[in-house]
Every structure is written in structure tokens, then in C-alpha cells.
Amino acid sequence: MTITSPHLGSPSAAWTDARLLYALEEVVETELNRHLKVAKDWMPHEYVPWSDARNFPGLFEDGEAWGKEQSKVTEIGRIALVVNLLTEDNLPSYHHEIAALFGRDGAWGTWVHRWTAEEGRHGIVMRDYLLASRAVDPDKLEAFRMQHMNEGFESDNRHSMLHTVAYVAFQELATRVSHRNTGHQSGDPVCDRMLARIATDENLHMVFYRNLLKAAFELAPDLTMQSVRDVVVNFRMPGHGMPGFERAAAQMAIGEVYNMRIHHDDVLQPVLRHLKVLEMDGLGPEGLRAQEELGFFMGGLDAEASKFDEKLAARKARMAARAAG
């Protein structure tokens, strides 16, 4: 679809990626400056329990093999931590994707590099924590990392910068929620504090992209509405290609780290509500159709989430009855 805007000088000017990047550059600069004022630098090494660390087998004669009993975190904590870390570990692919779409120059380029630097801290502190605290099997973790990164990552939205902006507005919040809930379910206060620190960064990243998405709605409402519709309906977490992801995702859903109800209530709804996406007027035919489809999808997702809630409640009741018996 072609969207025209007087902002571009010619009433017949089409919204291409290049034109959108140029039109949004000033917004990116404003949001970047705001982000740099509110973001607080922090030291990953300060969140790692180094006194718990000891050598693993290999070059060290006193190396001690990993055992499950050494881990301070819960079973669901171990599962979620591996998924979360492997997601963070794929940063080189993510950087390549957004650098190719957003560019490396001007405010866009400054943001791309700043975002990458901040995300890099997340992988560093998580890996250091996992190894120092012996939370997970280090050999399996490294095997998973090699397999995951060897397969590479291609974004579902790499064809469009507007789709990418819409996706990351939701995905950054999804990552924040996943980290925060993993911390709550981990059973280790040190882990909880670390993931809370990471979640704070992810929330600031979400705010950056959410505000950018708001500006896109003001420039090209129909095209932006279609992008949001496409992203929400087809949403997948960036770690979907990692080994054993489906089983891990199912376990994380049951463990209430991330499931349909959380996705609907804590990820999709907050962004849609903040931007008043479903109440937006002034749309053309294509924008209205996308808005209606988005509303229908959210209603269906809510219904599916309610079914999941019922199954989860029944499972909890069965487990409680077994424990009491």
C-alpha cells in the first residue's frame, strides 16, 4: 500500500523505508537523548557471586564437575535462565539485523550501537552468574550456544523497518517480563537482583521503541497500523530457533514465567493501550481493516489465555491434592 504525506514535500511521495528513516530521525535523536539521561550505567561484575565460584574440570587439577545439587536455583529457574541467556547470546545477529535496517549513521546509528552495548552487558552478567554460582550445566550450556548461534538468526520483520520498530516495541517488553518472572521463580535472591537490573534496561528500550512507534502512527497511521497488526498476529520470541525451545517454552508457561495470559496482559495490552491503538480514528480503509483484525485477534487470544488459565488452575489443584494425600 502507498501512504502519502505532506511532510515529505510532495503529496504523491510514497513512504519507503528510506523516507521513514529520514522522517523519524529527529524523533530518534530526541528519544536517544532522553534515554541517555535516564539510563544508569552499572557494573556486571557487581552482580556476580564470585565467592561461590570454583574451577571446572579441564586445565585445572582441582576442577570439580558440575552437579545438579550445586545449583541454588529452581528447576524452572534453570530452564528459563538458559533460554534467556541463549536469547541474549545471539546479539551479533540482532545487531546485524537492526544495523542493516536502521543504518550506522546519525542518531539511528548512535542508538544501534548504544543498544548493542547495553544488551551486551546482559549476556555477560548472566553467563558469569550461571558459571560462578554453578546454576546450570556449563557443558550443555556451551553446546546449546554453539548450536543456536551456528544456525544464525533472521528476523521475521527484516523486510520492513516499520515492522521491525513495531516488533521491538513489544519484544523488549516481553524480554523484560521474562527476565523479571525468571528472577521471581528462581529461588535465589542474587539471581533475582541480577535479572531485575537487566529488566530495568529492557523497559527503557521498550519505552524508546514505543515512543518511536507513536511517532510513526502520527506520520503514517494506516501503514503503521498494518505493521502492528502483522507483528502482533505473527509474534515470535527471538529465541524460537534455539534447541529444545518448544519444550522449554511449555515448561516456562506452566511455571508462569511466560505464557499466553502473561503475553496478552503484560506485553501486548500495555503497548496497545498506551498508544490507544484500538481506539485510534482517522484511518483509511486499509488501516481500519488492520485495526479490526487486531481487535478480533486480541479477543481470541484473551479467550485462549482463559482456557490456559483454567488448565493451569486445575493442574495446581491436582498437585495440591497429591501433596495433601
Side-chain angles (χ1 to χ4, degrees):
M1 180 182 177
T2 297
I3 300 290
T4 60
S5 170
H7 294 281
L8 299 179
S10 168
S12 61
W15 279 121
T16 62
D17 275 5
R19 290 181 182 274
L20 280 166
L21 285 167
Y22 178 78
L24 290 169
E25 176 94 21
E26 187 175 338
V27 180
V28 172
E29 183 175 2
T30 298
E31 289 302 311
L32 173 63
N33 290 334
R34 180 197 56 76
H35 176 84
L36 293 176
K37 286 181 181 177
V38 298
K40 295 181 180 178
D41 276 337
W42 54 281
M43 303 298 126
H45 53 268
E46 294 179 356
Y47 288 80
V48 179
W50 298 108
S51 60
D52 292 347
R54 49 199 186 275
N55 293 335
F56 288 104
L59 295 177
F60 301 99
E61 294 182 1
D62 63 342
E64 180 183 350
W66 183 82
K68 194 174 183 180
E69 71 284 352
Q70 299 167 0
S71 179
K72 294 180 180 179
V73 301
T74 60
E75 179 67 20
I76 187 60
R78 285 193 295 275
I79 293 167
L81 280 164
V82 170
V83 170
N84 291 353
L85 176 57
L86 290 185
T87 300
E88 299 287 355
D89 267 345
N90 234 353
L91 182 60
S93 285
Y94 308 148
H95 174 85
H96 172 77
E97 293 278 337
I98 65 170
L101 277 167
F102 298 157
R104 296 176 175 83
D105 301 319
W108 280 104
T110 303
W111 167 253
V112 166
H113 294 304
R114 173 71 189 197
W115 175 87
T116 301
E118 291 185 4
E119 290 288 342
R121 282 196 285 220
H122 302 167
I124 289 169
V125 71
M126 288 182 68
R127 180 170 295 278
D128 286 348
Y129 165 81
L130 294 182
L131 296 180
S133 68
R134 292 184 169 241
V136 301
D137 185 332
D139 293 344
K140 287 185 178 179
L141 182 65
E142 179 61 13
F144 283 158
R145 187 191 71 83
M146 288 296 292
Q147 183 179 345
H148 185 40
M149 294 188 70
N150 272 327
E151 291 175 2
F153 172 82
E154 286 190 343
S155 169
D156 295 331
N157 304 290
R158 61 189 179 279
H159 63 287
S160 159
M161 65 78 60
L162 198 51
H163 279 73
T164 298
V165 169
Y167 175 74
V168 290
F170 294 103
Q171 185 268 322
E172 292 284 0
L173 183 52
T175 306
R176 172 198 178 275
V177 169
S178 181
H179 282 312
R180 201 68 194 93
N181 288 344
T182 298
H184 291 330
Q185 300 288 352
S186 69
D188 180 11
V190 176
C191 179
D192 193 23
R193 285 194 298 271
M194 172 193 67
L195 292 177
R197 177 59 260 186
I198 293 174
T200 298
D201 281 0
E202 303 290 11
N203 196 64
L204 290 177
H205 297 165
M206 178 277 294
V207 171
F208 178 96
Y209 286 119
R210 187 190 64 191
N211 292 351
L212 195 55
L213 189 60
K214 179 182 179 181
F217 266 118
E218 294 170 357
L219 283 173
D222 284 13
L223 197 60
T224 304
M225 185 66 73
Q226 292 173 77
S227 298
V228 170
R229 183 268 321 272
D230 293 346
V231 163
V232 169
V233 170
N234 300 299
F235 187 89
R236 296 196 295 175
M237 290 293 274
H240 62 80
M242 70 180 59
F245 179 78
E246 290 78 10
R247 184 167 187 269
Q251 292 168 307
M252 289 168 68
I254 293 171
E256 298 181 87
V257 171
Y258 201 96
N259 55 40
M260 278 191 290
R261 173 54 62 201
I262 293 170
H263 183 61
H264 178 277
D265 291 1
D266 300 339
V267 176
L268 299 182
Q269 281 283 34
V271 176
L272 296 175
R273 189 165 50 242
H274 181 86
L275 297 177
K276 297 181 173 59
V277 173
L278 295 178
E279 296 79 43
M280 198 171 289
D281 53 19
L283 298 167
E286 292 296 327
L288 280 171
R289 184 179 299 111
Q291 188 182 48
E292 290 173 0
E293 291 174 358
L294 180 60
F296 280 124
F297 175 82
M298 290 298 293
L301 180 62
D302 187 37
E304 288 297 312
S306 295
K307 293 178 183 177
F308 175 83
D309 291 341
E310 292 172 4
K311 291 180 180 178
L312 189 59
R315 182 180 184 275
K316 287 181 179 178
R318 288 194 304 271
M319 292 180 68
R322 284 181 197 149

